[in-house]
Each structure stands twice: as C-alpha cells, then as structure tokens.
Amino acid sequence: QVQLVESGGGLVQAGGSLRLSCAASGSWFSLGAMGWYRQGPGKERELVATITSGGSTNYADSVKGRFTISRDNAKNMVYLQMNSLKPEETAVYYCNALARTYNSGPYANYWGQGTQVTVSS
C-alpha cells in the first residue's frame, strides 16, 4: 500500500505563490508517475501536472509557464511550485501516484487526502 500526504496549501493573494509537497510512504515494488490534480467548488477533479519517474512532465494548458512540478525519487517526494496564482484556481489539490506493489503486477492508482489552496482576489 502507498500513502500520500500533501502539505503546503493555504491562503494566498492573487498573483502570489505557493509550493505544495507530497510525501509517499508505505511499500511498493516500483513507484511510477506522480502528479497533482485539483477540484474546485462545484467542479470536477482535473489534471494539473504529472511527472514520470524519469522526470518527463506534463501540464494542463492553463498552468503552463506558471506551475512547475518536480520530484525527488530518493525521498519519494513530489512538489508543485505554483506562481501567479489566480482566484479561479482555488481548489483542493490532490497528490496522485501510480505504483506496483509486486513485480509484474499492475499499476494501481493512489490518492492523498488533499490540501486546500485558496486564492483571494
């Protein structure tokens, strides 16, 4: 099983910055892609950014150039640096990871509990 714990959320003014962190713990055979998703009030959960174990990244168009995802494989951590935040980006931000718990097993999807990010105008 994989446990994901997010931190770093909070209240920030429009145009400000926040850095989210996610720590993975537990046991796994291999930890695959990790990423961040968000769910705003009355909205569906959406992709923000993902990063593979090799460091390849993917971003939602709406955050390109403002957000940066990074990863420390030695520490089993993933980060999301968010700059120039907008009020409409107020949401609960969730950490996600794909992991195999045994050799040749399937990748399973794991989620953290989420961290609230509130951007005031």
Side-chain angles (χ1 to χ4, degrees):
Q1 288 293 328
V2 179
Q3 293 81 44
L4 302 173
V5 178
E6 303 98 334
S7 61
L11 175 64
V12 64
Q13 289 188 333
S17 298
L18 280 176
R19 187 187 192 223
L20 305 183
S21 300
C22 173
S25 63
S27 61
W28 55 80
F29 177 78
S30 63
L31 194 59
M34 300 182 74
W36 292 93
Y37 291 71
R38 65 188 179 192
Q39 186 167 16
K43 298 180 181 179
E44 293 187 354
R45 192 172 297 190
E46 63 177 1
L47 168 74
V48 177
T50 61
I51 184 167
T52 68
S53 56
S56 296
T57 58
N58 179 54
Y59 294 94
D61 287 343
S62 61
V63 307
K64 285 180 180 176
R66 299 186 297 119
F67 290 13
T68 302
I69 189 170
S70 60
R71 177 172 178 162
D72 186 333
N73 289 329
K75 295 182 179 179
N76 299 317
M77 297 284 296
V78 64
Y79 307 96
L80 185 67
Q81 176 66 43
M82 304 185 294
N83 299 329
S84 302
L85 281 159
K86 305 174 182 179
E88 56 265 37
E89 293 179 313
T90 293
V92 177
Y93 283 70
Y94 295 92
C95 180
N96 172 266
L98 295 175
R100 283 195 299 189
T101 55
Y102 59 93
N103 190 13
S104 75
Y107 276 97
N109 217 3
Y110 295 90
W111 294 94
Q113 292 297 308
T115 185
Q116 177 70 45
V117 172
T118 302
V119 186
S120 63
S121 56

